[in-house]
Amino acid sequence: VNVTASVFFAAIVAVTLGITYWASKRNTSTSDHYVASKGITGWQNGLAITGDFVSVGGFLGITGAIALQGFNGFYLSYGIPIAFLLVLLVVAEPMRNLGKYTVGDVITSRFGTRSVRAIAAVNTLLISIVYMISQFVGAGALIQLLLGINYNVAVVVIGVLASVYILAGGMLATTWIQIFKAVLLLSGTFLLLLLVLSRFDFNPVAVFDETAATLGDGVVLPSDYGGLLANLDVLSITIAVALGPVGLPHVLMRFLTVLDARTARSSVAVASVFMGLFFILLPILGYGAAIYVGQAEISAANPAGNLAAPQLSEALGGDLLLAFIAAVSFATLLAVMAGIVIAASGAFAHDLHQRVVRRPGNGPRAAQGGPHRRGSHLRDRPHPGFRRPGLQPGIPRHSRLRHGGERKPPGHTADDLLEKVQPDGGGERYGGRTRKLGGPRACKPEPSGRERDLSLHQPGAGLYPHRLPRQLLRHDLE
Amino acid sequence: VQQSEYSGIAETEAFKELVRRKRAFLIPTVVFVLLFFIMLPILSIFTDVLDGKVIGAISWAYLYAFAQFFLAWIVTFLYWREAGRFDELARKAREQASGGVENFA
């Protein structure tokens, strides 16, 4: 048993539990639990996103891949900045503006059916489970290697730790653990980098030169992967690296923890600077490992090269640095695990259990927890675009008189009362329910997809819809 | 923004300008970024054009890969600047809407 490593690991666990204890006192409401009551600042969130991304896969995996395969290992890395650009340009602000607690909320606010929410939740769970398994495997292997604890025991201990973080500390704990780990990992990487560069008079080009001189040009040039299928396989992984992060639930959830679109934007900007610096410098660590540890030793320790970074730290800084880097990797695993667990728990508890299985009602109203009434005067207006063939023109006008004129506060209308009596919502959205009720709204057409677009803006939402509802615009100008 | 306000906002000149300018910025940028990105794996995996060494042992492939990081930083900066104007238009749209028709705030 490595005593230094044990001390570092214990310190990491102690700090994370301390953060959890601190957060638990502030973790009182549902909003606290899932999204830290939207109180995270841009810098904090940026570091937390960096933490989510700079995972063990990045740090250990890519360093090892570059050490063993040269440029061919870097393909796991150069998609990341593009991924973040896409997150910034396409998803960050709409996520913030449309979502409440989960990805399911965001999608439901545009397409208000229960099945869409269920699919979003199941997707979140599937992605999270796959991601979680790889974290478990990495953490178990690392602990077994350094502390000599049995693999199965290690996996159970980590699972319990992650559950404690989430149950007690919620999103606030997850975010701060992620920030703590991001700072640790970035400084650990920076330290290793300085140690490697110090042997080359701080000239990064010399690292490449030395590698090419000792290991051949093959390691600095891209090479064929062997056959069309293998090449297409690599191409497909590269595309997945660039496009996949745009849909990772535990990353998307981070945009729900900030106050407004501007903060969401600044958090991606902060993250892209730190993450870019991290990933662009990995080749130096990888080549450093290839030179000072040797490719044979790296693949002997792990065929995929996953231990290259710890091995490099041992070669350059001895036991102390090895223990530090291993402990940082462990903190990374714990923090990423916590992030995945809270995304998955939101999908399970908030989406699947609350809104699909128990189904208190459907649609965007259920998603936003509220005031659909405010929009009913828009929905109920007669418009050719909304009318289905065979419906009497003008009939929805009754409902406009009734609902548009009254403006009852949410929770006090007949429908809301009915919903309390019939907790299952009585059928497919407004159509089914109002038919049971009878009265003027009985003839109201079932909302089409276009109508639902109009009900996307709940209080507190930002100003940007994905696209302008032209139907509404033209009608209102008439 | 509440739904009742939304129709008012959607009518304003500032809002139309906002949507138009957002699209004019985002669509070409995203298309360019994706094309720039996908050319690297295609060229490095299927051709030899990036195989030459340029600075010391650093190959064209590495330079292209590093360029993706710089592209990301530059576009982030450009978008940041542009988004300030979007926010300004959004503020104007709210003002114009509340100064105009019915306001339930």
Side-chain angles (χ1 to χ4, degrees), chain A residues 261-322:
Chain A
R262 198 184 144 75
T263 320
R265 194 189 302 147
S266 67
S267 49
V268 192
V270 170
S272 81
V273 170
F274 283 114
M275 249 176 359
L277 281 174
F278 177 85
F279 283 103
I280 203 172
L281 294 170
L282 284 182
I284 293 177
L285 289 193
Y287 288 144
I291 295 170
Y292 293 112
V293 182
Q295 290 183 321
E297 279 88 298
I298 292 171
S299 47
N302 180 298
N306 282 337
L307 293 172
Q311 284 175 307
L312 174 67
S313 60
E314 192 178 18
L316 295 179
D319 272 353
L320 190 68
L321 192 60
L322 169 67

Side-chain angles (χ1 to χ4, degrees), chain B residues 6 31 42 45 49 51 55 66 73 83 85 88:
Chain B
Y6 177 68
V31 169
I42 289 177
I45 294 173
V49 295
D51 282 7
I55 308 168
F66 294 150
W73 287 325
R85 291 177 200 149
E88 180 62 18

